[in-house]
Amino acid sequence: MKIQSIRGVKDILPGDIEKWQWVEEIARNVFSKYGFKEIRLPIFEKTALFSKSIGETTDIVEKEMYTFTDRSDEQITLRPEGTASVVRAYIEHKMYNPPSVVKLYYMGPMFRYERPQAGRFRQFYQIGIEAMGTDNPAVDVEVMTLLIEFFRELGLMELELQINSLGCAECRPKYRETLKDAIRAHLDDLCQNCNQRYERNPLRVLDCKVERDREIAKELPKTKDHLCEPCQTNFKQVQNLLDTTGTPYSLNSLLVRGLDYYSRTTFEVVSTGLGAQNAICGGGRYDSLVEEFEGPPTPCFGFALGMERLISVIPFGKEVDLESRPDIFVVSLGDEAKEPTFKLIHDLRKEGFSVDQDYAGGSMKSQMRKANKSAARFSLIVGENELKSGKYLLKDMETGSQQELPANDLPKAVREQLANS
Ligand code: HAM
């Protein structure tokens, strides 16, 4: 029986995984400079956690969650995002004690039953950050500049940071009504999806991807013109601080995001090179989510980026070694050499070298061919003569130079030559 992977789900193979590891390592370095610590979260949670936080009327909750009933009749969902789990963990572990700003990051797979296409998968990976416990706009900007620094370290320059403010519990309900009134006149011209959104989630009409709807959306009332005074001041502060750091950004008043928990600042980073699925990263402020889950008042700000989309736009160069090559390839000749070879390889690995061999054995010629193919820096020959003399032939595969060395001297010689190359 031949079984293939599920639609929209990908393996990440050696040759590619090195890129992922490199990106993850840079993320860890940059994030720790800003005081963020890793949190590992469960892959599945109770369904209610996601439906309540992301919003019952969002596409994710309505159509995209992988939900099932487990053997104890519990409704379980494979996580479609990480923020809800971070909030749950924050409350469950009372991370608000003692009061401080808790800075967390996570990396891992998320699951959404979307229509697979370029840049859109059913299992995809996110790296996310959540700063919890302050509504200071400095944190909004600190997190966005962290992101920009991270992208620069990856060699990405051609990205655009777009920001918007969605207002708060005070001004958004009024704006929502104003928006609905304005949309009503266009219902016949808007797509079927927007007609449905109009009643339940009218803000989503603003970021519909249908061309004709986009033209209509441009003329609809904008959140930025309907913010209450504190929200206006807050949004101004965010922009001033972004200016202070010299971070380029643009205002996008159609940016509303697909999850309901946001208030005030929202943002996305888009790449012009990505086509329809151009958002590499999205996030914003969510000031009431912790309270909605019965935690203490805890304003938060965070983002998540899509690894597949990010990796697809990075101009990978020599800094990523895509072919992890062994230091030494051991060529073993004859049955008698098998055991000493096994021991020698074991000892060399203990010395810290990466060592490989041709498990099938075979002629010297065929093993040397394998050594060449492995791109090993050195080959080491262990045969009858070598076993008798106790000296092994170490060949530098780049220069072709050879040395006869006793086993004890091998680590030092290899280390020195690796350091000089
Ligand atoms: P999101 O915009 O739903 O936000 O997802 C963040 C990023 O995940 C997107 O910008 C995109 O790069 C990637 N992504 C989403 N869906 C897919 C997919 N089907 N295939 C490939 N990549 C995808 C969130 O998830 C929020 N939790 C972000 C956040 C954190 N807000 C505050 N804190």
Side-chain angles (χ1 to χ4, degrees), residues 60-78:
I60 298 178
V61 173
E62 278 190 342
K63 314 186 250 197
E64 296 170 2
M65 294 206 304
Y66 279 91
T67 296
F68 60 96
T69 311
D70 74 4
R71 286 167 198 274
S72 346
D73 276 339
E74 186 115 62
Q75 280 273 300
I76 304 284
T77 293
L78 298 187

Side-chain angles (χ1 to χ4, degrees), residues 135-137 139-141 144 161-168 227 231 234-239 242 255 257 261-268 283-287 300-302:
D135 62 359
N136 190 332
V139 167
D140 304 27
V141 175
M144 287 189 276
L161 170 64
Q162 300 181 348
I163 63 168
N164 193 19
S165 174
L166 293 183
C168 64
L227 297 175
C231 284
N234 179 274
F235 197 35
K236 256 278 94 22
Q237 284 172 322
V238 168
Q239 292 173 60
L242 276 171
L255 180 68
R257 311 274 302 124
Y261 47 62
Y262 292 109
S263 51
R264 294 196 162 168
T265 314
T266 52
F267 75 99
E268 278 187 2
R285 185 155 275 294
Y286 50 103
D287 287 345
C300 303
F301 190 90

Side-chain angles (χ1 to χ4, degrees), residues 205-340:
V205 173
L206 294 176
D207 75 346
C208 179
K209 299 281 181 284
V210 175
E211 199 50 50
R212 189 165 143 175
D213 295 17
R214 288 172 78 91
E215 289 308 311
I216 297 171
K218 280 185 201 157
E219 306 305 324
L220 293 171
K222 308 290 180 302
T223 43
K224 69 173 166 50
D225 303 321
H226 295 79
L227 297 175
C228 60
E229 217 175 298
C231 284
Q232 269 179 40
T233 311
N234 179 274
F235 197 35
K236 256 278 94 22
Q237 284 172 322
V238 168
Q239 292 173 60
N240 288 343
L241 287 169
L242 276 171
D243 292 337
T244 308
T245 60
T247 307
Y249 62 92
S250 59
L251 298 181
N252 178 359
S253 44
L254 299 179
L255 180 68
V256 294
R257 311 274 302 124
L259 306 96
D260 279 356
Y261 47 62
Y262 292 109
S263 51
R264 294 196 162 168
T265 314
T266 52
F267 75 99
E268 278 187 2
V269 175
V270 300
S271 162
T272 38
L274 273 182
Q277 306 305 322
N278 66 353
I280 293 187
C281 172
R285 185 155 275 294
Y286 50 103
D287 287 345
S288 46
L289 194 55
V290 175
E291 266 178 283
E292 278 166 32
F293 284 97
E294 296 176 18
T298 310
C300 303
F301 190 90
F303 70 76
L305 59 85
M307 275 294 271
E308 290 81 359
R309 292 184 197 176
L310 177 63
I311 299 253
S312 74
V313 293
I314 296 175
F316 286 101
K318 286 208 184 69
E319 69 282 355
V320 186
D321 189 1
L322 294 180
E323 317 250 331
S324 43
R325 36 196 303 223
D327 298 320
I328 308 166
F329 193 100
V330 178
V331 173
S332 168
L333 300 170
D335 280 348
E336 269 176 34
K338 274 190 185 148
E339 217 177 293

Side-chain angles (χ1 to χ4, degrees), residues 151-216:
F151 286 150
R152 291 229 168 93
E153 296 249 338
L154 299 175
L156 288 170
M157 303 294 173
E158 306 295 315
L159 298 176
E160 197 181 315
L161 170 64
Q162 300 181 348
I163 63 168
N164 193 19
S165 174
L166 293 183
C168 64
E170 199 50 48
C171 51
R172 192 150 45 164
K174 288 179 213 149
Y175 166 68
R176 196 174 180 272
E177 288 314 307
T178 310
L179 181 65
K180 272 182 85 173
D181 288 344
I183 294 173
R184 199 169 301 125
H186 298 282
L187 282 178
D188 288 346
D189 299 322
L190 289 167
C191 73
Q192 207 187 345
N193 235 343
C194 284
N195 269 270
Q196 285 166 6
R197 285 169 174 158
Y198 159 72
E199 269 304 337
R200 291 176 303 152
N201 203 346
L203 266 75
R204 287 312 307 274
V205 173
L206 294 176
D207 75 346
C208 179
K209 299 281 181 284
V210 175
E211 199 50 50
R212 189 165 143 175
D213 295 17
R214 288 172 78 91
E215 289 308 311
I216 297 171

Side-chain angles (χ1 to χ4, degrees), residues 8 80 108-112 114 121-126 306 308:
M110 307 291 160
F111 306 85
R112 297 184 192 175
E114 293 195 81
F121 304 94
R122 289 183 173 167
Q123 174 174 329
F124 58 98
Y125 287 75
Q126 283 189 345
E308 290 81 359

Side-chain angles (χ1 to χ4, degrees), residues 12 43 58 80 105 199-200 209 286 294 311 348 415 421:
I12 308 156
I43 302 276
T58 57
Y105 75 86
E199 269 304 337
R200 291 176 303 152
K209 299 281 181 284
Y286 50 103
E294 296 176 18
I311 299 253
L348 286 169
R415 209 167 279 128
S421 60

